């Protein structure tokens, strides 16, 4: 029942992807699910190994006053490594591996529509601070993907960073990256 509901959420535009994925697979242009699962499991094993190594470096044992700084990160890294190794082994030795396409061109374009502006947002945040960059980012997305007018997008794009500024900077006293405007206002 859940799967039926989930399938109804797929846009009609993407419904004909099966033929595209099959032809792309025949041409050798796509990456399979099995390959991506092996790559991600391998990367997570690497991250887990780094966490465990550094945890041992700072102390992963039990001291006279309690656990050392690396005690909990070590065991979290160990659990992550074990789960990733199991996923890697299952996908490597499975006879019923998922050889379907990892991503299709329409789906990849949808991801790029979010990823590219997010990368620009991070660069802008470095120069003008998190609050102004967030206002621009929210306003841009509301207008571009949400098709809202500037009269609706601007108040929301301004209100949310103002609320977050009050919450973090004033209420909780947690400083976030600020730009020239906040510095001019004394923050």
């Amino acid at each position: 029942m859940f799967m039926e509901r989930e399938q109804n959420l797929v846009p009609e535009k993407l419904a004909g992807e099966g033929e595209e994925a099959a032809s792309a697979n025949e041409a050798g242009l796509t990456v399979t699910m099995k390959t991506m699962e092996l790559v991600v499991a391998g990367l997570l094993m690497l991250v887990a190994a780094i966490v465990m190594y550094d945890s041992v470096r700072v102390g992963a044992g039990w001291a006279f006053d309690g656990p050392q700084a690396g005690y909990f990160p070590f065991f979290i890294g160990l659990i992550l490594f074990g789960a990733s190794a199991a996923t890697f082994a299952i996908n490597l030795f499975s006879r019923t591996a998922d050889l379907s396409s990892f991503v299709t061109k329409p789906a990849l374009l949808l991801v790029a529509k979010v990823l590219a502006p997010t990368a620009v947002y991070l660069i802008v945040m470095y120069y003008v601070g998190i609050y102004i960059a967030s206002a621009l980012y929210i306003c841009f997305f509301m207008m571009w993907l949400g098709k809202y007018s500037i009269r609706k997008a601007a108040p929301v794009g301004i209100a949310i960073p103002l609320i977050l500024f009050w919450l973090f900077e004033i209420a909780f006293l947690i400083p976030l990256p600020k730009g020239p405007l906040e510095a001019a206002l004394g923050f």
Side-chain angles (χ1 to χ4, degrees), residues 135 138-139 142 149-163:
I138 292 167
C139 190
M142 286 183 70
S149 68
I150 187 77
R151 292 185 316 176
K152 291 182 180 178
V156 174
I158 293 169
I160 290 174
L162 284 175
I163 291 167

Side-chain angles (χ1 to χ4, degrees), residues 35-184:
T35 303
M36 285 309 297
E37 287 182 7
L38 288 170
V39 168
V40 171
L43 289 173
L44 287 175
M45 286 175 16
L46 178 65
V47 168
I50 292 169
V51 167
M52 289 187 301
Y53 174 80
D54 199 50
S55 296
V56 169
R57 185 185 61 81
V58 297
W62 199 266
F64 71 93
D65 59 344
Q68 292 177 319
Y71 183 81
F72 292 109
F74 176 82
F75 285 104
I76 291 170
L78 186 63
I79 292 168
L80 179 62
F81 188 88
S84 300
T87 301
F88 191 88
I90 288 168
N91 281 288
L92 188 62
F93 300 114
S94 175
R95 294 177 189 214
T96 58
D98 187 359
L99 298 177
S100 64
S101 176
F102 174 67
V103 68
T104 59
K105 187 174 180 180
L108 189 60
L109 289 174
L110 288 175
V111 171
K113 274 187 169 182
V114 175
L115 186 62
T118 302
V120 172
Y121 166 67
L122 292 174
I123 294 167
V124 170
M125 185 190 327
Y126 180 78
Y127 293 104
V128 299
I130 194 168
Y131 301 110
I132 293 175
S134 295
L136 295 170
Y137 184 70
I138 292 167
C139 190
F140 170 76
F141 261 102
M142 286 183 70
M143 291 171 49
W144 184 43
L145 294 179
K147 307 292 185 218
Y148 288 96
S149 68
I150 187 77
R151 292 185 316 176
K152 291 182 180 178
V156 174
I158 293 169
I160 290 174
L162 284 175
I163 291 167
L164 292 175
F165 179 82
W166 174 83
L167 182 68
F168 285 106
E169 303 287 339
I170 297 170
F172 294 133
L173 300 174
I174 299 172
L176 294 177
K178 292 178 219 41
L181 177 63
E182 293 91 349

Side-chain angles (χ1 to χ4, degrees), residues 10 16 26 30 111 133 155 181:
V10 177
E26 290 170 7
T30 61
V111 171
L181 177 63

